[in-house]
Structure formats: structure tokens, C-alpha cells
Amino acid sequence: MADIYINYGTDLQDMTFSLMEAAGIKNRLKPAMRIGIKPNLVVSRSADGGATTHPEIVEGIIRYIQAAGIHNIAILEGSWVGDNTQRAFNNCGYSELAKKYGVRLIDTKQDRSVKIKHDELLLNVCESALNVDYLINVPVLKGHCQTGMTCCIKNLKGCIPDSEKRRFHTMGLFKPIAALGNVLRPALHIVDSICGDLSFEEGGNPVTANRIMLGFDPVLLDSYGAQLMGFAPDEIEYLRLAKEYGAGEYADADTKILELNADNRPKTDIRQSSIIKKLSKHIEADGACSACFAALVYALDKTGGVQGERFKIGQGFKGKTCGGIGVGNCTAGCGSYVKGCPPKASDIVEWIKRKRGRIS
Ligand code: SF4
């Protein structure tokens, strides 16, 4: 059994179904179970903007669960304080999805809450998230202006009332988020890393990675996601605290990662926002896989790159000897390159820092 299952591609429903199959999720389900699915619908904007969970992924989950003979399924979410969940359900394709599969939609903003103690904190958590037998968290891996990044743990904020969301900010955000990640433990996490935003949770600058990940430990998945985005896990304060509280472990060299289709990664097809267009000027791409390209975009956004250098990336460089600097194993023929297939943005960031140190 792997710790993290990864699938690359553009057929999101089938990718999700295959991931669940590979991880043997059926063996963990029982016919009478009440299933809750928690996507990220923080705002009422379609998933291609990089903020919200693709409905096709949730559709893949529903199909898989119903094929296992389980039909008591609800999708639950509460958008951020400034938005309306029902509008998000409608605009993001979830109302249609619910109708098609006979699934209930629960707006957690309308829900009652239960007080749960975590050390010195008393957290209010929505009943609907607690009253299921199997909670499936379906976050988006993306940037966040206050916390650096958001994925599994922070997505659980949709399971608390609006008044509690406001209170979290008065409590400094990091501690209550980490505590929530420790008291509310979804059984399964399926991460939408299709085109998460570069730096804002409300989207606008999607970075295409065409990747879905599945795992059971939210700290493990978040720390792995942080590295994919160019962070060391300890740089994400709520993650450091969640680990300290015992919510899970960081991903490291011993983490077992199973890529279902490593040989069939789609090539990048970046919808370029102005920020990403600007960063792309530092890149010389030839047949780059989306996940590889995304790692480089995140690293360039964090570091600004190396002055006067363009990074070679992509399968077009495979087996070629060339000068300059490369990213990914395909560019092993460059004078110097960052290893990985795909590499993590955190490795590219470190590499750029070392390179700059040598230059200055
Ligand atoms: S190193 Fe090459 S094959 Fe591997 S992810 Fe990057 S572009 Fe794709």
C-alpha cells in the first residue's frame, strides 16, 4: 500500500475512479454508511480559475461509491464569509451533479454546530461534518495570501460556521486551523491539483499541473503539496502545528508514492494569466509535462529566477547535450539541472538559491 497515490491527466472523472480503485477504497466502505464529500467551493467561481474543486473529480468519487452499492451521499460545504454557498453550488456545477446522481447538498452555513475542545481552544464544528460515517475531503492545492498554501487541513474551514471563521482570524488563524485538522479527521483526502492558483485562494492565476492525489494523512499530503509549490513544510505555520498536535506526519524520503501513469503525463497547456505569462519569459519549454512546468512556475514566483538565464524544460531536451540550466531529468544533458521527474518546486527553489549564492 502506498502513502500517496498520484494520477496525471485531463479525464478527471476516470482519473479519480482509478485512484480510488488503486487504493482499494471499496474495502473500507460498508453498504449502510453515510458518506460526506467536502469539496472547496470557497467562492462561486468555476474550477478553471484555480480556486474551486472540479466537479468532475467529485463525480468520479460519487460514481465509485455508488458502484460499491452505497447511496447515502451528501456534498457539504460553506463558502467563505463573503459568498453564498447556494450560488457556489449552482455556478460551480454541483447543483446539476447532485440532481444527476440523487445526492444531497448541505450548506454548512445553515447547519447547527457542536463545541469540541482541543487543548485550550474550544472549536465550533458543523454537525453535518460530524454526522457522517466516512468523510471525503476534496481540497484544491493552491496558494493562499495569509497561510502560504492551502490543501487538506485548511479546506476543513468550510465545516465551521461563518461566526467561527471570523473568530479563527481573531485567534491568529494558524493555531485554530491546525487544531481543526486534529479534531476533524476525514477518512480520505483526494486532492485537486489540476490548476490551483499561484498565490490566492479566490483564484485568478491558475497554474496547470493536471494532477490528482489521494491519501489518508492530511499532514503528509499537505507537506508534500507544500514542497510541490516551493515551500519547506515548516514554512507553513499551521502545518508545523498540526504535526506537533499529532494530526499526521510530514512526507519525506521514506514516503511511498505510487504514480499510476508516470509514463503518460500530459504536456503543458497553460491558460496564461498575465503573471504566469511574465514568469514564462524565464522558461524555454519544449514538450514539458504540466506538473514539471507548474513546479518551475511556482519556484520562479517565489525566487524571481536567475538573472540573465532561461530554464530549459521538457521532453524535447531528452538525450540532447546543451548548455545552460535545466529543470527535470529530461534536461540531464544541460550544463546544470534540477533532478526529478517531475521535480518539486522546493528543490528548484533551493537550487536557484545555491546558484545565486555562487554567482554573487
Ligand atoms: S522531467 Fe521530463 S518527463 Fe519528467 S515530468 Fe519533466 S518534462 Fe515530464
Side-chain angles (χ1 to χ4, degrees), residues 262 265 287-289 291-293 313-315 318 327-331 340-343:
R265 297 191 188 100
C289 300
C292 213
F293 197 89
I313 187 170
Q315 297 183 41
K318 221 175 199 167
V327 167
N329 292 353
C330 288
T331 59
C341 180

Side-chain angles (χ1 to χ4, degrees), residues 47-310:
D48 57 1
T52 56
T53 302
H54 286 78
E56 297 90 341
I57 295 180
V58 174
E59 185 161 5
I61 296 171
I62 295 170
R63 267 182 47 213
Y64 182 89
I65 293 169
Q66 292 191 341
I70 304 173
H71 296 276
N72 190 350
I73 305 170
I75 297 170
L76 40 114
E77 173 61 316
S79 299
W80 70 2
V81 175
D83 216 322
N84 175 296
T85 314
Q86 193 52 54
R87 190 166 52 217
F89 282 147
N90 293 340
N91 291 352
C92 300
Y94 285 79
S95 299
E96 212 177 301
L97 188 63
K99 203 166 151 203
K100 182 173 172 188
Y101 289 93
V103 163
R104 282 175 300 130
L105 292 175
I106 298 175
D107 177 359
T108 56
K109 284 179 192 266
Q110 312 298 329
D111 206 359
R112 284 189 304 206
S113 64
V114 174
K115 288 198 188 311
I116 302 182
K117 196 166 166 25
H118 184 277
D119 292 340
E120 79 279 15
L121 297 178
L122 202 55
L123 305 172
N124 287 306
V125 180
C126 294
E127 265 187 1
S128 53
L130 299 167
N131 290 343
V132 293
D133 302 305
Y134 199 88
L135 183 60
I136 305 175
N137 190 21
V138 200
V140 177
L141 173 64
K142 60 183 169 174
H144 189 280
C145 60
Q146 287 162 297
T147 59
M149 55 85 71
T150 163
C151 191
C152 299
I153 294 176
K154 204 182 156 298
N155 191 42
L156 300 176
K157 262 188 89 195
C159 299
I160 59 174
D162 275 2
S163 55
E164 188 71 343
K165 288 180 191 132
R166 290 193 196 93
R167 199 171 73 95
F168 267 35
H169 284 271
T170 67
M171 292 192 283
L173 212 51
F174 304 130
K175 258 192 180 183
I177 290 174
L180 181 64
N182 200 24
V183 298
L184 185 59
R185 300 278 191 101
L188 176 66
H189 305 267
I190 297 180
V191 178
D192 177 339
S193 175
I194 296 299
C195 62
D197 195 80
L198 189 62
S199 42
F200 292 102
E201 69 170 330
E202 63 268 42
N205 292 298
V207 182
T208 304
N210 284 328
R211 170 176 51 209
I212 303 176
M213 301 185 282
L214 179 152
F216 304 96
D217 176 341
V219 177
L220 193 87
L221 279 164
D222 280 11
S223 58
Y224 185 69
Q227 292 171 61
L228 292 177
M229 293 182 66
F231 296 99
D234 270 353
E235 281 184 83
I236 310 299
E237 182 61 7
Y238 73 81
L239 201 50
R240 191 187 66 74
L241 288 167
K243 179 173 175 270
E244 195 178 299
Y245 293 159
E249 293 296 329
Y250 282 172
D252 59 21
D254 293 330
T255 301
K256 287 189 204 119
I257 296 174
L258 179 67
E259 292 183 309
L260 299 194
N261 58 347
D263 298 331
N264 189 28
R265 297 191 188 100
K267 303 287 173 301
T268 192
D269 177 23
I270 298 254
R271 287 194 324 113
Q272 299 206 358
S273 66
S274 55
I275 296 177
I276 293 168
K277 225 179 233 169
K278 210 168 137 200
L279 295 172
S280 299
K281 287 183 184 150
H282 300 275
I283 303 175
E284 188 183 337
D286 184 356
C289 300
S290 314
C292 213
F293 197 89
L296 181 53
V297 166
Y298 280 117
L300 288 172
D301 184 51
K302 285 199 80 166
T303 60
V306 178
Q307 214 182 352
E309 288 279 10
R310 289 177 84 210

